[in-house]
Amino acid sequence: MVDDRLDEERQAKETLQTLIAGGVDADGFDTGIILLRDAVLIHARYEERYEFPQLRQHVPAGRLRSLATAVRAAEASAPTRPHPSAQSAKGNLAVGPALAVIDRVRDSIRKPSAN
């Protein structure tokens, strides 16, 4: 089950990376963004309907709360752009923090000023 979800996430990252690289004027962008949206919604629906209920049934509430805290901490320090090559757990641990710093610097440079 985990491998299937990770594969779906890797595919979504690759698609997003392709869409970003091509830009909004690229041929097929509109179709690609719709397909990506649909894939993400299906992925989320599957997690919400099947995986999360199983977790709630088999994992104590206190453990789920601590996992939620860990997920929020990981999200706060995660890359902000798709990096399909860092999909595995080892890859994420090895390059994720460096990619997060690079992404956040790029984000701050590209962020429009409030003036």
Side-chain angles (χ1 to χ4, degrees):
M1 181 171 25
V2 171
D3 289 340
D4 291 342
R5 298 300 77 74
L6 288 175
D7 189 50
E8 290 168 0
E9 290 176 8
R10 181 193 50 74
Q11 289 174 21
K13 287 178 184 180
E14 289 174 356
T15 300
L16 185 57
Q17 190 174 40
T18 300
L19 291 170
I20 290 170
V24 296
D25 295 325
D27 287 342
F29 180 86
D30 293 342
T31 301
I33 202 77
I34 290 168
L35 291 173
L36 177 62
R37 178 203 61 195
D38 292 348
V40 169
L41 290 173
I42 290 168
H43 174 87
R45 189 175 311 124
Y46 191 88
E47 286 181 338
E48 291 168 359
R49 288 186 181 170
Y50 303 106
E51 294 173 11
F52 294 164
Q54 285 187 24
L55 284 171
R56 283 190 287 277
Q57 181 179 1
H58 298 288
V59 179
R63 177 73 174 134
L64 288 175
R65 282 190 293 279
S66 67
L67 289 171
T69 300
V71 167
R72 282 192 283 283
E75 287 174 341
S77 62
T80 61
R81 303 187 182 295
H83 298 282
S85 60
Q87 183 59 38
S88 70
K90 287 181 183 178
N92 279 327
L93 287 173
V95 298
L99 291 172
V101 170
I102 292 167
D103 286 354
R104 291 175 198 286
V105 168
R106 286 173 62 191
D107 293 346
S108 68
I109 291 170
R110 291 183 179 174
K111 181 187 277 187
S113 64
N115 299 333

